[in-house]
Amino acid sequence: QVQLVESGGGLVQAGGSLRLSCAASGRTFSSYVMGWFRQAPGKEREFVAVISWTGKSTYYADSVKGRFTISRDNAKNTVYLQMNSLKPEDTAVYYCAAKRGTTSTQNDGYDYWGQGTQVTVSS
């Protein structure tokens, strides 16, 4: 069982930056693939970024590529999402998620989810 708790969301102006954190419980964090997803009002939850359990492999949605960076610190059981050059369309609730096995961009591929953290980007 893995419990995930996101933090770091907030209100920021367009062009600004935020760093989201996702703290995981359990001693096997380093064996999990970690992903970030987001859900804007009235829209389906969408993939943002994913990182392999080693941290050596990452993949991003086209909409955030070059602006967002996913990273992890297995010693701290934490995964991060650094978000730069934020745009109003980045406004959403951001969720972290965990799965075993290979990286995935699909919602239903993940076994554990956090409660989400709100990110609001004003224009």
Side-chain angles (χ1 to χ4, degrees):
Q1 189 78 8
V2 176
Q3 292 185 325
L4 304 172
V5 179
E6 302 96 335
S7 62
L11 174 63
V12 63
Q13 289 188 332
S17 298
L18 282 175
R19 188 176 82 154
L20 305 184
S21 299
C22 173
S25 65
R27 295 176 291 177
T28 59
F29 171 77
S30 60
S31 65
Y32 284 87
V33 168
M34 299 298 298
W36 284 99
F37 293 78
R38 67 186 181 186
Q39 187 167 20
K43 296 188 177 181
E44 293 186 352
R45 188 159 54 188
E46 65 175 5
F47 166 77
V48 175
V50 61
I51 188 166
S52 64
W53 63 273
T54 63
K56 293 182 179 179
S57 177
T58 59
Y59 184 76
Y60 299 90
D62 287 344
S63 58
V64 306
K65 200 173 296 183
R67 300 188 297 122
F68 290 11
T69 302
I70 188 171
S71 62
R72 67 190 297 161
D73 185 338
N74 286 341
K76 295 183 178 180
N77 280 14
T78 302
V79 62
Y80 305 97
L81 186 68
Q82 178 67 44
M83 306 186 296
N84 299 328
S85 302
L86 282 161
K87 305 175 181 180
E89 51 264 43
D90 294 317
T91 295
V93 177
Y94 284 71
Y95 299 90
C96 69
K99 69 180 297 290
R100 293 190 180 273
T102 58
T103 57
S104 172
T105 63
Q106 304 301 309
N107 282 321
D108 58 7
Y110 287 77
D111 301 309
Y112 304 101
W113 292 84
Q115 82 290 347
T117 186
Q118 176 70 46
V119 171
T120 303
V121 184
S122 63
S123 57

